[in-house]
Amino acid sequence: MMADTSVTLYSATSEKIALADAIRLIGLGGDLGDLGDTVALLASPQAYTVARLSAGRLTDSEKPIELPAAGSDAVFEARIFNRDAELRWLHTGAGVGTAVILSESPDPCARFAEPSTC
């Protein structure tokens, strides 16, 4: 007989939100306790950037990363994650997008809305 290995996945969505606002709202890479290393994968028309998020600031190996709302350097898709949660953000227009937070705990999702299970 095999042990039950099922996992409950919680999610919450926010629409028409800037990436920087979504990062601040959920607290990934912030001062909300020991969340561990937070990694950011940022896609723009000019580059695919792997960055670290710490204390609310994105940095790559060389410099801080700005998040312009428009232009060829603007991020159109982001995945930011640590051991507790993952933020997925997709630009929908005018510098804002749809953000989804996924976690095995309802706590990170609660900052967006009432968490739902998948």
Side-chain angles (χ1 to χ4, degrees):
M1 179 175 229
M2 297 186 72
D4 181 14
T5 58
S6 63
V7 173
T8 300
L9 185 62
Y10 295 88
S11 67
T13 303
S14 182
E15 296 182 4
K16 297 181 181 175
I17 186 169
L19 177 56
D21 293 337
I23 292 168
R24 278 191 295 276
L25 185 62
I26 63 167
L28 281 175
D31 297 322
L32 299 177
D34 180 17
L35 295 177
D37 288 336
T38 301
V39 175
L41 306 175
L42 309 170
S44 76
Q46 296 297 317
Y48 191 84
T49 304
V50 178
R52 169 173 271 154
L53 179 63
S54 180
R57 296 185 55 164
L58 286 166
T59 57
D60 66 12
S61 61
E62 300 172 5
K63 62 190 177 314
I65 296 173
E66 300 298 323
L67 294 173
S72 62
D73 290 332
V75 172
F76 65 82
E77 182 179 14
R79 288 183 178 220
I80 302 172
F81 55 91
N82 60 26
R83 68 175 185 236
D84 296 324
E86 179 177 349
L87 170 67
R88 297 178 182 184
W89 182 87
L90 182 64
H91 184 258
T92 55
V96 296
T98 299
V100 176
I101 182 80
L102 302 169
S103 178
E104 292 179 13
S105 166
D107 297 339
C109 301
R111 294 181 187 97
F112 267 11
E114 189 65 32
S116 61
T117 58
C118 296

